Amino acid sequence: MSETEMMLRGYGLTTAEVFYRMPDYKNVLNTFVWQEYDLAPDHPKLFGFIEFWQEKIEGPLHSVRFTHRKMISPGEWRNVVGEFTYH
């Protein structure tokens, strides 16, 4: 599916900032930014990524901060067939 098709089906851009502890230095926090088109309010891709992180990545998670923004919705899109230019 293209990005436009995803946006028309209700997907929005989800951006997450992941704070995690360094494996060898538990007192040091590092960040990772993740961005993907996802469906709110369930956010299956985001939670799938967090589960993947917890299973496969050595750095334990400290916190996750995320935001979700719909770029367009089906009611905002319309098919333009012609265009008139006015000088």
Side-chain angles (χ1 to χ4, degrees), residues 5-80:
E5 290 172 330
M6 291 175 72
M7 286 186 277
L8 290 173
R9 292 182 183 195
Y11 283 79
L13 190 61
T14 300
T15 304
E17 185 176 19
V18 178
F19 294 89
Y20 64 96
R21 298 191 185 278
M22 299 295 291
D24 296 334
Y25 305 98
K26 299 293 181 190
N27 293 329
V28 177
L29 284 178
N30 205 357
T31 61
F32 178 80
V33 176
W34 176 89
Q35 200 170 46
E36 185 70 46
Y37 286 100
D38 207 356
L39 285 170
D42 296 331
H43 300 286
K45 290 186 180 183
L46 174 61
F47 290 121
F49 173 74
I50 291 172
E51 288 175 6
F52 168 80
W53 185 290
Q54 291 174 333
E55 292 173 4
K56 305 289 183 186
I57 308 288
E58 291 182 19
L61 290 176
H62 175 269
S63 59
V64 177
R65 183 171 59 176
F66 72 95
T67 184
H68 179 83
R69 171 85 168 113
K70 280 193 170 186
M71 308 304 268
I72 60 172
S73 65
E76 295 174 3
W77 185 85
R78 60 191 171 113
N79 187 15
V80 177

